[in-house]
Amino acid sequence: MNKDTLLIAGKSYNSRLLIGTGKYKDFTETQAAVEASGAEIITIAIRRSNIGQNPNEPNLLDILPPSKYTLLPNTAGCYSADDAVRTLRLARELLDGHSLVKLEVLGDPQSLYPNVVETLAAARTLVADGFQVMVYTSDDPIIAKQLEDIGCVAIMPLASLIGSGMGILNPWNLQLIMDRVQVPVIVDAGVGTASDAAIAMELGCHGVLMNTAIAAAQQPVLMASAMKLAVEAGRMAFLAGRMPKKLYSATPSSPTSGLIS
Amino acid sequence: MISVSINGKVRQFDNSITIATLLEQMQLTGKRIALELNGEILPRGQFNQQLLADGDQLEIVVAVGGG
């Protein structure tokens, strides 16, 4: 059997767990969690620099060197296509021409639900500008297909709201998306604990992206290890093919003959 | 005297200075940053030549933790 890898925009990854770097106590914890997770694709955000008021501020890129990880700059906090495009052009300059990005255009600050109209517009601009776009979106299969048609290299639907930890609330919608698109489908947002990640993978999702589920755990580094195993276990279970569900089991696991009398 | 907006803060300078000099004053020389001048990316290679002009809007960004 060929090695089971995640293929995104022509590049293979061994890990199907993608993690964010927000909300950690400090960079030491961020680094330890990233290591424990085994993730190869790591999301980062782009924000205004200090302008002299804090010259010795540590830099995230020093602990997560682009030579070691595939850094995935995001557009978190952007509410319009224009802001998202500007942010990713800055990210590309910051990362020396790196073109793989995570697009997310939010709809409102209460739900952080995606604004799919702005997302579609931004995706069109970015793809035309040479970006390889992994896109956070709703679990709408029609929008997912449109994003693929535009040229996005991965479709990343939410499983529940960002940071909610509510788990996989939409398995049937995820299935509808997977039935329609050819590019990898990666659950982005909603995972709360290891079993959620396993469920996403058992459904056949190609990967899981998470941040808060690890960063907000009581012991983030331990949770990062748990997520690594859960994603691997879920993937293996998907490949193995689960037994059919039956309300009654009329086939005992043990022999029905040779019983003592 | 020229006024320039840097990350939303207005700063005044006596003479027009280059971006490279500005970054030096802010102790950002050699740091991993990207810069947008009036809505357009300014490539690093142009920091030494590009002069600030009155009314310029600069955005200087870095990578931070995010999901």
Side-chain angles (χ1 to χ4, degrees):
Chain A
M1 189 177 135
N2 290 331
K3 198 154 188 259
D4 176 48
T5 57
L6 172 62
L7 189 65
I8 299 174
K11 190 174 171 194
S12 292
Y13 300 90
N14 292 314
S15 173
R16 291 175 180 274
L17 172 59
L18 296 73
I19 76 167
T21 50
K23 301 183 183 173
Y24 288 97
K25 187 177 66 186
D26 51 34
F27 281 169
T28 307
E29 188 179 71
T30 309
Q31 191 172 34
V34 168
E35 281 295 320
S37 74
E40 295 164 282
I41 301 177
I42 313 293
T43 68
I44 58 172
I46 303 297
R47 290 292 179 270
R48 283 174 163 171
S49 161
N50 85 78
I51 51 174
Q53 69 273 37
N54 189 7
N56 296 316
E57 193 170 39
N59 190 310
L60 182 66
L61 298 185
D62 292 335
I63 67 141
L64 297 174
S67 54
K68 187 172 176 189
Y69 300 101
T70 296
L71 297 180
L72 191 66
N74 71 21
T75 59
C78 291
Y79 288 85
S80 70
D82 285 349
D83 283 349
V85 170
R86 275 178 72 194
T87 299
L88 291 177
R89 284 180 175 149
L90 280 162
R92 180 165 64 181
E93 176 66 14
L94 181 67
L95 299 174
D96 304 316
H98 172 86
S99 62
L100 187 70
V101 295
K102 172 180 163 177
L103 170 65
E104 59 180 299
V105 186
L106 303 174
D108 74 41
Q110 288 75 40
S111 69
L112 301 180
Y113 205 82
N115 178 331
V116 295
V117 176
E118 292 293 311
T119 301
L120 286 163
R124 279 189 201 98
T125 304
L126 290 166
V127 169
D129 196 11
F131 284 92
Q132 294 173 315
V133 181
M134 299 174 69
V135 59
Y136 168 67
T137 185
S138 68
D139 61 8
D140 180 331
I142 307 303
I143 296 293
K145 180 63 183 151
Q146 289 181 359
L147 287 165
E148 178 183 47
D149 289 346
I150 286 168
C152 293
V153 298
I155 304 300
M156 306 204 291
L158 50 73
S160 49
L161 297 181
I162 291 176
S164 70
M166 291 288 286
I168 313 297
L169 301 185
N170 51 2
W172 305 110
N173 276 55
L174 294 176
Q175 195 64 59
L176 290 173
I177 291 173
M178 285 186 282
D179 287 350
R180 278 164 179 73
V181 308
Q182 304 298 311
V183 296
V185 175
I186 295 171
V187 161
D188 181 2
V191 165
T193 189
S195 51
D196 298 332
I199 287 168
M201 296 308 296
E202 287 169 11
L203 287 170
C205 295
H206 301 87
V208 180
L209 197 167
M210 65 180 74
N211 190 151
T212 311
I214 296 175
Q218 298 296 310
Q219 294 188 53
V221 180
L222 187 57
M223 187 58 91
S225 298
M227 290 300 184
K228 176 179 194 283
L229 297 174
V231 168
E232 287 173 2
R235 178 65 183 176
M236 281 187 225
F238 170 73
L239 293 174
R242 61 153 299 148
M243 63 162 281
K245 287 183 180 177
K246 290 175 287 188
L247 187 53
Y248 294 96
S249 171
T251 53
S253 304
S254 306
T256 51
S257 60
L259 293 158
I260 58 166
S261 58
Chain B
M1 180 79 86
I2 61 167
S3 284
V4 176
S5 167
I6 306 169
N7 287 359
K9 293 192 170 64
V10 177
R11 298 256 176 120
Q12 264 140 15
F13 301 91
D14 285 337
N15 296 302
S16 191
I17 58 171
T18 65
I19 297 287
T21 306
L22 173 74
L23 294 176
E24 200 181 323
Q25 287 179 10
M26 298 189 298
Q27 301 186 57
L28 291 173
T29 305
K31 298 278 171 70
R32 291 171 181 271
I33 57 160
L35 197 146
E36 188 190 68
L37 175 61
N38 300 326
E40 300 289 334
I41 298 294
L42 186 73
R44 247 165 274 170
Q46 295 178 25
F47 289 178
N48 278 321
Q49 291 88 48
Q50 182 69 46
L51 289 166
L52 285 178
D54 192 42
D56 274 352
Q57 307 247 356
L58 260 74
E59 291 286 346
I60 307 173
V61 301
V62 292
V64 301

